[in-house]
Amino acid sequence: MAMTTSHMPRPSFYNSQGIRFSQKPSWFRAQPRTKLNPSVNIKASAGVRKEDIVIVGAGIAGLATAVSLRRLGIGSVVLEQAASLRTGGTSLTLFKNGWRVLDAIGVADTLRGQFLEIQGMAVNSEDGRELRSFKFKDEDQTQEVRAVERRILLETLANELPPETVRFSSKLGKIQSSENGETLLQLTNGTTLLAKIVIGCDGIRSPIAKWMGFSEPKYAGYSAFRGLGVYPDGQPFAANVNYIYGRGLRAGYVPVSPTKVYWFICYNSPSSPGPKITDPALLRKQAKELVNNWPEELIRLIDLSPDETISKTPLVDRWLWPGLSPPASTGKVVLVGDAWHPMTPNLGQGACCALEDSVILTKKLANAIKSGPAAIEGALRAYGEERWPRVFPLTVRANLVGSLLQWDNQLVCSIRNNIVIPKLVRLGPVLEHTNFECEPLKA
């Protein structure tokens, strides 16, 4: 995919990638290629490319962090193991906290014009009976909810970066610290980088998180089918999130645009998520079998989904227990988004929290860079200390909500459908976690 630069005034100082700094810190500048420190066990003949900031992973977290840094005049290199942007998958729902970040980094309006604003949500039983409905702005006038295609979000972020910022086919093979406090990154293509700062945005199975001592994410006991129904002549649904709750099984669908509708099905598989399946015909068949007697519009959505949009994934998370889990940073290496705090999608906050991470980290790094190298580690620690009280409770809450919604006991489900949802649930407190203020980033 071709990437274009955004229209920004020509700066007076650039790093080696042609990215400007708001001022010229003497320690944070382009360096010529040098040989390795002899204490590092790598073939000297391979050479080393020195970089100021290396972001590992060109997903939402990685690209948003790179764009945020650029807005403050700081350059970076983004390593992506795939040969192009990973635009697979369907869509994700962004609440107002996600849109505040996209506003701050200057891409929100480009996206708003392409996706419908969701007005409310309706909760139904598997037999089609409406249990409850809400209007978002009745509870919170400032709320903004849109389902956004992942592909378009990634392309929009990438288009804000100068050419060559994202380096494809660059898979991390090994990471190690050097004696001078920098970090050595060996790629499987033979490239070796020496980075002053490394930002791990490499997703749920992050090699960087593993290197830092984090445990593997834990399977939540249920998996999800996802897809994107396409209606060439226009989709028929009102702009609402629609949920359908059964026993140990739930589904939902939400209009994305005038012609596309995102859908999901979550089903219990307590012992194991089962083997990985990539055959779209089999995935479609399995998804339809789960909801065979449910409302017809859901079955039709599955039928109208192109093969490449249908997927099945196990849902996982990682709880960041205080005093037990490693911190978000080690030296000058730090984690952002799913690499640090993978969470189940039950609150729609995975992408939103990754976006929040990106701007908080960027602001702290920008201030530290002006102060010199001694301030960097403190800034990364401060980022982790600020974000932990936000992301840990959300991870736990998302897990608990999922557990409640995946109940399969008949009596419990009856109480949920006839008492809890119709009479006890209030939307305001449910969406309180979407409150997040974020000022525009300006160099």
Side-chain angles (χ1 to χ4, degrees), residues 115-135:
F115 301 107
L116 300 174
E117 182 170 6
I118 305 305
Q119 302 301 315
M121 71 180 194
V123 182
N124 299 279
S125 61
E126 59 191 280
D127 59 7
R129 177 169 56 98
E130 183 177 284
L131 305 177
R132 190 79 178 272
S133 63
F134 304 90
K135 293 294 182 184

Side-chain angles (χ1 to χ4, degrees), residues 148-195:
V148 174
E149 283 188 70
R150 188 176 185 275
R151 173 184 63 83
I152 294 177
L153 176 57
L154 291 180
E155 290 175 353
T156 300
L157 291 169
N159 285 339
E160 295 295 312
L161 299 170
E164 308 304 322
T165 298
V166 182
R167 299 179 183 176
F168 296 107
S169 300
S170 298
K171 183 178 180 179
L172 180 63
K174 185 177 181 181
I175 177 173
Q176 62 188 112
S177 299
S178 67
E179 289 185 346
N180 65 357
E182 297 181 343
T183 303
L184 193 73
L185 303 173
Q186 291 177 260
L187 309 186
T188 57
N189 63 12
T191 303
T192 301
L193 304 177
L194 192 62

Side-chain angles (χ1 to χ4, degrees), residues 80-296:
E80 171 52 48
Q81 65 179 348
S84 62
L85 284 179
R86 289 174 293 164
T87 54
T90 51
S91 74
L92 48 98
T93 303
L94 295 179
F95 291 83
K96 71 176 181 181
N97 51 328
W99 289 103
R100 297 300 176 269
V101 174
L102 295 174
D103 274 320
I105 64 178
V107 301
D109 286 341
T110 300
L111 292 163
R112 284 190 178 102
Q114 301 178 68
F115 301 107
L116 300 174
E117 182 170 6
I118 305 305
Q119 302 301 315
M121 71 180 194
V123 182
N124 299 279
S125 61
E126 59 191 280
D127 59 7
R129 177 169 56 98
E130 183 177 284
L131 305 177
R132 190 79 178 272
S133 63
F134 304 90
K135 293 294 182 184
F136 290 126
K137 293 193 185 297
D138 286 349
E139 302 290 335
D140 178 359
Q141 283 294 320
T142 67
Q143 188 58 256
E144 180 177 7
V145 185
R146 299 173 198 265
V148 174
E149 283 188 70
R150 188 176 185 275
R151 173 184 63 83
I152 294 177
L153 176 57
L154 291 180
E155 290 175 353
T156 300
L157 291 169
N159 285 339
E160 295 295 312
L161 299 170
E164 308 304 322
T165 298
V166 182
R167 299 179 183 176
F168 296 107
S169 300
S170 298
K171 183 178 180 179
L172 180 63
K174 185 177 181 181
I175 177 173
Q176 62 188 112
S177 299
S178 67
E179 289 185 346
N180 65 357
E182 297 181 343
T183 303
L184 193 73
L185 303 173
Q186 291 177 260
L187 309 186
T188 57
N189 63 12
T191 303
T192 301
L193 304 177
L194 192 62
K196 292 178 178 176
I197 300 169
V198 173
I199 304 175
C201 301
D202 46 345
I204 290 172
R205 306 292 178 186
S206 166
I208 296 179
K210 183 177 180 180
W211 176 76
M212 292 171 62
F214 283 90
S215 62
E216 284 291 316
K218 184 178 179 181
Y219 177 54
Y222 48 96
S223 297
F225 286 94
R226 296 182 175 95
L228 194 65
V230 178
Y231 295 76
D233 298 324
Q235 54 87 6
F237 302 106
N240 291 317
V241 181
N242 298 278
Y243 294 113
I244 307 169
Y245 294 159
R247 292 175 53 192
L249 181 68
R250 59 190 159 110
Y253 57 91
V254 55
V256 175
S257 71
T259 59
K260 296 179 181 179
V261 180
Y262 164 70
W263 59 268
F264 71 87
I265 299 170
C266 289
Y267 70 99
N268 287 352
S269 179
S271 58
S272 166
K276 182 176 177 61
I277 299 173
T278 57
D279 179 1
L282 182 55
L283 291 173
R284 190 191 309 272
K285 178 176 181 291
Q286 290 181 346
K288 290 174 65 174
E289 287 174 348
L290 286 170
V291 293
N292 186 46
N293 296 316
W294 286 28
E296 178 61 30

